[in-house]
Amino acid sequence: MVRKVKTEKGKKKQVKKIIIIVLITIILIALFGFCLWKFVFDKKDNKVAQPVKILDSLDEYGYDLSDKDSSYYKKEYESLKSLLKSDNVDEKEYSTLVARMFTIDLYTLSTKINKYDVGGAEFYHKNKKAMFEQKVMDTLYSTMLDNTFGDRKQELPEVKDIETVSVEETTYKIDETDVEGYLVKLNITYVKDLNYDTEASVVVCKEDGVRWSVVDFQPTLNPKYK
């Protein structure tokens, strides 16, 4: 009788040990699965966004050069910097370079972080800049994927060359006032043809008597104005 009682107690202890072992195994498997998901499949959580570095600035005019700008844009920037540092600034050449750099930056989508990183915005007139940025985000940049962590696979355009077709004197109405400026017409060539605009007409006017700023842009060599 005593032996039977001991045997039953032994069985109960053995069952408890098995249950404990099973529970520990389940917990370990769950922990392993969580770690695998966290550190292997959820890779983005372990990435750090790289800050944009400013390489050069023309503070008086509100232009700057960053490390993410394309090599072609950097070349044009150096031309603009050289012009603005000269004793006698050729206003026509200055306005033409603004139109060219604006167009290069606008259509080089490959260097942009996301759709909110609107190219050419720093060249736009302060009274019209917000409207321009919103329009670009809603149209040209609307399908751009985020590249905060440098893992974007989307193919986006990069401007390879800008040809100045013509530069004409013009007037443009800003806040009911006619302002003198230049209409710069351009042809655009890309590193790879992805069916983006290949023509541009850019109106550039003097802003606050200091810098030339873009006040109108149309993706055609035959623009229409009201």
Side-chain angles (χ1 to χ4, degrees):
M1 189 69 178
V2 174
R3 182 178 296 175
K4 184 177 180 180
V5 171
K6 288 183 177 180
T7 302
E8 288 179 353
K9 287 183 177 180
K11 288 182 178 180
K12 288 181 179 180
K13 287 182 179 181
Q14 189 174 7
V15 170
K16 286 182 180 180
K17 287 181 180 180
I18 293 173
I19 292 174
I20 292 172
I21 292 172
V22 170
L23 288 174
I24 292 174
T25 303
I26 292 173
I27 292 171
L28 289 174
I29 291 173
L31 286 173
F32 176 77
F34 174 77
C35 292
L36 183 65
W37 171 80
K38 186 67 178 176
F39 297 105
V40 177
F41 295 102
D42 192 26
K43 291 181 179 180
K44 186 168 287 188
D45 288 348
N46 298 316
K47 293 182 179 180
V48 178
Q50 297 299 314
V52 176
K53 297 179 182 178
I54 301 301
L55 303 178
D56 193 74
S57 296
L58 296 170
D59 296 329
E60 182 181 355
Y61 301 93
Y63 312 135
D64 58 47
L65 184 70
S66 74
D67 60 340
K68 73 181 181 67
D69 289 319
S70 69
S71 57
Y72 185 46
Y73 181 87
K74 290 175 181 177
K75 180 181 177 181
E76 292 289 297
Y77 178 90
E78 291 302 322
S79 296
L80 177 62
K81 180 179 178 180
S82 178
L83 176 67
L84 295 178
K85 294 294 184 181
S86 63
D87 295 332
N88 297 305
V89 176
D90 185 318
E91 301 293 336
K92 185 176 181 180
E93 183 180 355
Y94 175 15
S95 63
T96 301
L97 278 170
V98 165
R100 289 171 59 89
M101 293 179 67
F102 161 79
T103 306
I104 294 168
D105 199 25
L106 175 63
Y107 281 104
T108 300
L109 279 69
S110 59
T111 62
K112 305 303 179 286
I113 298 172
N114 50 45
K115 74 172 187 176
Y116 305 103
D117 183 16
V118 178
E122 66 181 306
F123 295 101
Y124 229 85
H125 194 285
K126 63 182 180 181
N127 293 354
K128 302 169 75 66
K129 181 179 177 179
M131 184 170 60
F132 161 72
E133 289 180 313
Q134 189 61 57
K135 184 177 181 180
V136 172
M137 287 188 287
D138 292 342
T139 55
L140 186 61
Y141 285 22
S142 62
T143 60
M144 184 188 297
L145 301 179
D146 185 84
N147 195 38
T148 301
F149 302 103
D151 55 357
R152 182 171 59 204
K153 303 301 181 182
Q154 184 181 21
E155 191 170 32
L156 294 169
E158 177 183 342
V159 175
K160 178 182 179 181
D161 184 62
I162 290 285
E163 176 195 0
T164 303
V165 178
S166 64
V167 182
E168 310 166 11
E169 292 184 356
T170 189
T171 57
Y172 190 85
K173 190 178 291 294
I174 302 177
D175 298 330
E176 303 304 319
T177 301
D178 288 330
V179 180
E180 293 183 354
Y182 290 99
L183 169 59
V184 184
K185 296 185 178 182
L186 307 164
N187 280 329
I188 310 167
T189 303
Y190 298 92
V191 173
K192 183 177 180 179
D193 185 6
L194 298 174
N195 295 318
Y196 281 78
D197 301 319
T198 58
E199 298 178 344
S201 291
V202 186
V203 178
V204 188
C205 296
K206 207 66 173 289
E207 181 180 352
D208 296 335
V210 177
R211 60 171 244 164
W212 287 90
S213 300
V214 176
V215 293
D216 190 271
F217 161 77
Q218 295 184 38
T220 175
L221 293 181
N222 299 296
K224 295 180 180 180
Y225 300 103
K226 296 181 180 179

